[in-house]
Amino acid sequence: MDAVLIPVKHLDGAKGRLAESLAPAARRDLALAMLGDVLQAASAWPLRLLVTSDAEVAGAGRRAGWQLVEDPGTGLNGAVAEGTRAAVDLGASALLVMPFDVPLVTGDDLRMLFATAGDVVICRSDDGGTTALLRRPPDAIAPQFGPGSGHRHAGAAAAAGLHVEEVRLPGLRLDVDNVADLWRLAATRSTRPSAVLARKLLG
């Protein structure tokens, strides 16, 4: 069974690199808008897991029909590892992990990822991070998210003798981490809530 996993840390600490430009309430609103767009893009998958300790994020996931996994509080990779164990227990044979801050992702992007042959399929952002990591089985390699993680994931898969594929997809090129990323989102023609909000915040 194909599954999708999204880790979301507590929003009180989300998008810290935008702190110089956006107040805490605005950063929370932006994070929730991006999360909503990503949850919608993945809504067709039978098994969807959201790892979080944030009550507002959990509420959004619950309303959208996602299964909740408690964030163990050991960082991003710890959250992904916890969600991976839950996915395995629920019968997932393939697990796609992506962050919540890729608001332009589409269902077609995700279908293309699942249609790509490989034990490990990696989609990198323009800054070298990993905006999607598909593993067959879900625990084929350990998660190594963070700056430059695309290279680390590919290296780990190759070292394990796994078939690795790397893809570039338009909806997964942008992850919104800083003000320049926010301007890129605002400059798109997207009518998604996060893009509309980005234009409002920067207006």
mmCIF file of all heavy atoms in Angstrom, residues 186 194-203:
data_model
loop_
_atom_site.group_PDB
_atom_site.id
_atom_site.type_symbol
_atom_site.label_atom_id
_atom_site.label_comp_id
_atom_site.label_asym_id
_atom_site.label_seq_id
_atom_site.Cartn_x
_atom_site.Cartn_y
_atom_site.Cartn_z
ATOM 1 N N ALA A 186 5.033 34.216 -3.901
ATOM 2 C CA ALA A 186 4.119 35.322 -4.193
ATOM 3 C C ALA A 186 4.100 35.671 -5.684
ATOM 4 O O ALA A 186 3.072 36.127 -6.211
ATOM 5 C CB ALA A 186 4.516 36.550 -3.374
ATOM 6 N N SER A 194 -1.922 29.591 0.190
ATOM 7 C CA SER A 194 -0.596 30.022 0.636
ATOM 8 C C SER A 194 -0.024 31.094 -0.273
ATOM 9 O O SER A 194 0.623 32.045 0.201
ATOM 10 C CB SER A 194 0.353 28.827 0.704
ATOM 11 O OG SER A 194 0.467 28.202 -0.555
ATOM 12 N N ALA A 195 -0.229 30.971 -1.577
ATOM 13 C CA ALA A 195 0.277 31.977 -2.508
ATOM 14 C C ALA A 195 -0.470 33.297 -2.344
ATOM 15 O O ALA A 195 0.127 34.381 -2.383
ATOM 16 C CB ALA A 195 0.159 31.477 -3.943
ATOM 17 N N VAL A 196 -1.776 33.206 -2.163
ATOM 18 C CA VAL A 196 -2.581 34.416 -1.922
ATOM 19 C C VAL A 196 -2.100 35.110 -0.652
ATOM 20 O O VAL A 196 -1.947 36.335 -0.598
ATOM 21 C CB VAL A 196 -4.065 34.065 -1.854
ATOM 22 C CG1 VAL A 196 -4.886 35.269 -1.415
ATOM 23 C CG2 VAL A 196 -4.564 33.550 -3.199
ATOM 24 N N LEU A 197 -1.860 34.325 0.404
ATOM 25 C CA LEU A 197 -1.403 34.889 1.666
ATOM 26 C C LEU A 197 -0.016 35.491 1.524
ATOM 27 O O LEU A 197 0.282 36.555 2.095
ATOM 28 C CB LEU A 197 -1.420 33.820 2.757
ATOM 29 C CG LEU A 197 -0.948 34.273 4.142
ATOM 30 C CD1 LEU A 197 -1.786 35.427 4.655
ATOM 31 C CD2 LEU A 197 -0.995 33.099 5.115
ATOM 32 N N ALA A 198 0.870 34.826 0.768
ATOM 33 C CA ALA A 198 2.219 35.362 0.562
ATOM 34 C C ALA A 198 2.163 36.744 -0.069
ATOM 35 O O ALA A 198 2.888 37.665 0.337
ATOM 36 C CB ALA A 198 3.030 34.406 -0.308
ATOM 37 N N ARG A 199 1.309 36.902 -1.077
ATOM 38 C CA ARG A 199 1.178 38.214 -1.715
ATOM 39 C C ARG A 199 0.647 39.247 -0.732
ATOM 40 O O ARG A 199 1.082 40.411 -0.732
ATOM 41 C CB ARG A 199 0.291 38.100 -2.955
ATOM 42 C CG ARG A 199 0.963 37.347 -4.106
ATOM 43 C CD ARG A 199 0.167 37.413 -5.390
ATOM 44 N NE ARG A 199 -0.958 36.484 -5.410
ATOM 45 C CZ ARG A 199 -0.871 35.233 -5.852
ATOM 46 N NH1 ARG A 199 0.275 34.737 -6.289
ATOM 47 N NH2 ARG A 199 -1.936 34.447 -5.866
ATOM 48 N N LYS A 200 -0.271 38.839 0.118
ATOM 49 C CA LYS A 200 -0.834 39.755 1.119
ATOM 50 C C LYS A 200 0.224 40.168 2.137
ATOM 51 O O LYS A 200 0.363 41.343 2.471
ATOM 52 C CB LYS A 200 -2.007 39.097 1.821
ATOM 53 C CG LYS A 200 -2.648 39.957 2.906
ATOM 54 C CD LYS A 200 -3.797 39.219 3.571
ATOM 55 C CE LYS A 200 -4.408 40.044 4.700
ATOM 56 N NZ LYS A 200 -5.514 39.292 5.383
ATOM 57 N N LEU A 201 1.017 39.201 2.598
ATOM 58 C CA LEU A 201 2.027 39.488 3.610
ATOM 59 C C LEU A 201 3.131 40.374 3.086
ATOM 60 O O LEU A 201 3.715 41.170 3.831
ATOM 61 C CB LEU A 201 2.612 38.185 4.127
ATOM 62 C CG LEU A 201 1.672 37.273 4.941
ATOM 63 C CD1 LEU A 201 2.340 35.934 5.223
ATOM 64 C CD2 LEU A 201 1.256 37.958 6.239
ATOM 65 N N LEU A 202 3.440 40.236 1.796
ATOM 66 C CA LEU A 202 4.527 41.020 1.206
ATOM 67 C C LEU A 202 4.048 42.312 0.577
ATOM 68 O O LEU A 202 4.862 43.136 0.146
ATOM 69 C CB LEU A 202 5.262 40.173 0.153
ATOM 70 C CG LEU A 202 6.002 38.947 0.695
ATOM 71 C CD1 LEU A 202 6.487 38.084 -0.454
ATOM 72 C CD2 LEU A 202 7.165 39.365 1.572
ATOM 73 N N GLY A 203 2.722 42.459 0.492
ATOM 74 C CA GLY A 203 2.151 43.635 -0.171
ATOM 75 C C GLY A 203 2.340 44.912 0.587
ATOM 76 O O GLY A 203 2.221 46.000 0.072
#
